[in-house]
Structure formats: C-alpha cells, structure tokens
C-alpha cells in the first residue's frame, strides 16, 4: 500500500510537470496507457494521479470524451490574479510576523541564487520565483495557505509558459525579492504585503499584455 502511494505521488509530479511546462498542451487528449508507458510506470498510479490532477483543475475527466488537459485562457489569468494578489499578500504579511531565522536563511539563499542567473534564462528565473514564493509561504507557517498558493501557482504557470519567449521583464521582477526579504527580516508586515502585491500584480499585467497581443 505504501509503495502504491509513492508511485501515485511520483506519477502525479511527473504528469503535472508535463502539463505545466506545456509538454502536454492545453486541450490535448490523454491516453492513460500511452502516458503510463512513456513514464515507465504502471496504469494504476497513473490513473490515481490523473484523478488528483482533475481535482487540481489541470485535467478534465468526462464520460463521453474521456480525459484531456484542461484549457487555459486570458479570463483564467484574471481570476487567478485576483486570488493570488490576495493570498500572496497575506502570505507575505504573515511571513513578516512569523519568519524564523531558518526561514530567513532560505529566502536569502534564493535571492543569491537569482543573482547568478542570466537575465535571458527565463525558465530558470521562473523556477527561482516559484521557489521563492514557496519559501515565503513556508515562512508564514500556515499549511493551508501554502497548499492553496501552490495549487494557484501551478494553474498560473501554464499561462506563463505560453508567454515564456517574451518574458524579458523577469529579471527585474524577481529582483523585487530583495526588498521583500528586507521587509520580512525587520518584521514590517505592511511593507511586505505591499511589495508582494506589487510584485504579483506587475507580473500578471505583463503576462496579460503578452497573451492579449498574441505575441
């Protein structure tokens, strides 16, 4: 039983990564056996993983049309930005109040990792941004908030990968982490929330413009 859970978790992570990075494109049909073969995994954990991904709104399961990757569109971006602006702001506010010295070490390390990445390496910058937001959520010490943010981040990432070739502003965007770490370190909850909301809001605005213009 324990091994089955491990296999399902692994299948979930691998399929989720393919969906988020658009290796499995929005609207694409999912053939369970073919997917299991490509992952070199059994059919049972893949099926269980797909059910979990359907709960995450990344996969659609229908009796008539089978399984397919959920579509993405600009209206989705609007709804996601509304949620993330509120929850990411709360996460930063709580982190400023609750962060431990270990939390600060992790945030500083991620900021330094960013400094080593070339500005044109959008994929790595996105990855560091994700890790940073996870670290802030961890510093907020609210597991339910962290889980909600991770789900929203996964849904957002697919839209970002659609715009990836045009994300030249990412380097500047991730640099805002410096000010956020400073606010969290001194416990300034108002400033931490403000910086986070500006960071998230500016990012969504840029991606929205790219997708709307069809670049």
């Amino acid at each position: 039983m324990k091994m089955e859970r491990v296999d399902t978790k692994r299948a979930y992570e691998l399929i989720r990564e393919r969906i988020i990075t658009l290796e499995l494109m929005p609207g694409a049909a999912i053939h369970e056996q073919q997917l299991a073969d490509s992952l070199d995994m059994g059919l049972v954990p893949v099926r269980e993983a797909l059910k979990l991904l359907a709960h995450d709104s990344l996969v659609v399961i229908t009796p008539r049309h089978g399984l397919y990757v959920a579509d993405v569109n600009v209206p989705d971006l609007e709804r996601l930005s509304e949620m993330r602006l509120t929850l990411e702001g709360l996460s930063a506010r709580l982190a400023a109040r609750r962060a431990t010295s270990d939390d600060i070490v992790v945030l500083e390390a991620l900021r330094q990792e960013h400094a080593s990445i070339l500005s044109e390496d959008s994929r790595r910058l996105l990855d560091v941004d994700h890790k940073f937001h996870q670290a802030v959520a961890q510093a907020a010490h609210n597991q339910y908030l962290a889980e909600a943010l991770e789900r929203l981040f996964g849904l957002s990432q697919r839209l970002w990968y659609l715009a990836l070739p045009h994300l030249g502003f990412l380097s500047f965007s991730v640099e805002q982490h410096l000010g956020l770490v400073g606010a969290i370190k001194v416990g300034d909850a108002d400033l931490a929330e403000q910086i986070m909301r500006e960071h998230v809001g500016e990012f969504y605005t840029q991606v929205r413009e790219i997708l709307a213009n069809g670049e």
Side-chain angles (χ1 to χ4, degrees):
M1 182 65 68
K2 184 177 180 180
M3 181 59 68
E4 289 179 2
R5 288 197 297 269
V6 170
D7 286 346
T8 297
K9 182 175 184 294
R10 179 63 176 159
Y12 171 87
E13 292 171 347
L14 291 172
I15 300 169
R16 183 176 184 271
E17 179 70 11
R18 290 190 180 189
I19 292 172
I20 286 173
T21 60
L22 306 181
E23 184 176 343
L24 287 172
M25 291 295 290
I30 297 174
H31 303 285
E32 293 177 333
Q33 189 60 62
Q34 290 179 10
L35 183 58
D37 291 343
S38 72
L39 295 172
D40 195 23
M41 300 188 74
L43 191 57
V44 171
V46 167
R47 281 180 173 165
E48 292 302 311
L50 289 170
K51 291 177 184 177
L52 295 174
L53 290 162
H55 182 266
D56 289 346
S57 302
L58 290 171
V59 168
V60 176
I61 301 175
T62 65
R64 179 173 296 182
H65 302 292
L67 286 75
Y68 61 91
V69 179
D71 287 325
V72 292
N73 50 54
V74 173
D76 285 339
L77 189 70
E78 300 294 340
R79 290 186 283 268
L80 288 166
S81 65
E82 289 175 351
M83 291 292 295
R84 284 197 66 228
L85 274 171
T86 299
L87 295 184
E88 291 284 7
L90 175 61
S91 179
R93 172 173 286 276
L94 293 178
R97 293 175 177 171
R98 300 174 179 174
T100 66
S101 57
D102 288 341
D103 293 327
I104 298 298
V105 168
V106 172
L107 290 168
E108 287 282 14
L110 288 168
R111 184 180 66 79
Q112 292 173 13
E113 181 179 351
H114 163 256
S116 68
I117 302 173
L118 297 175
S119 60
E120 62 268 22
D121 194 346
S122 296
R123 189 177 287 265
R124 280 197 66 198
L125 287 170
L126 271 178
D127 182 56
V128 170
D129 187 70
H130 184 194
K131 291 178 182 177
F132 188 86
H133 283 271
Q134 287 177 316
V136 173
Q138 181 64 38
H141 295 279
N142 184 318
Q143 132 187 25
Y144 303 106
L145 177 60
E147 289 172 356
L149 284 170
E150 184 63 16
R151 180 171 181 268
L152 291 171
F153 206 96
L155 293 170
S156 298
Q157 276 181 302
R158 290 203 298 162
L159 288 153
W160 299 343
Y161 269 91
L162 286 173
L164 190 64
H166 309 285
L167 296 184
F169 61 91
L170 264 176
S171 181
F172 169 76
S173 179
V174 182
E175 284 174 4
Q176 293 171 319
H177 294 171
L178 175 60
L180 183 55
V181 172
I184 291 173
K185 286 174 71 173
V186 300
D188 191 333
D190 289 339
L191 180 58
E193 180 176 4
Q194 177 188 337
I195 293 173
M196 179 64 92
R197 286 180 67 91
E198 289 176 354
H199 170 64
V200 174
E202 289 173 8
F203 193 89
Y204 273 102
T205 296
Q206 294 279 359
V207 174
R208 186 182 300 112
E209 291 177 358
I210 290 169
L211 294 178
N213 293 332
E215 295 182 9

